[in-house]
Coordinates of all heavy atoms in Angstrom, one line a residue:
T29 N 79.7 106.4 76.6 CA 80.5 106.0 77.8 C 81.8 106.8 77.8 O 82.4 107.0 76.7 CB 80.7 104.5 77.5 OG1 79.5 103.8 77.4 CG2 81.5 103.9 78.7
A33 N 91.6 105.8 81.4 CA 92.8 105.0 81.4 C 92.6 103.4 81.4 O 93.4 102.7 81.0 CB 93.6 105.4 82.6
D150 N 81.3 125.6 68.8 CA 80.4 124.8 67.9 C 80.6 123.2 68.2 O 81.8 122.8 68.3 CB 80.6 125.1 66.4 CG 80.0 126.3 66.0 OD1 79.3 126.9 66.9 OD2 80.2 126.8 65.0

Side-chain angles (χ1 to χ4, degrees):
T29 306
D150 285 353

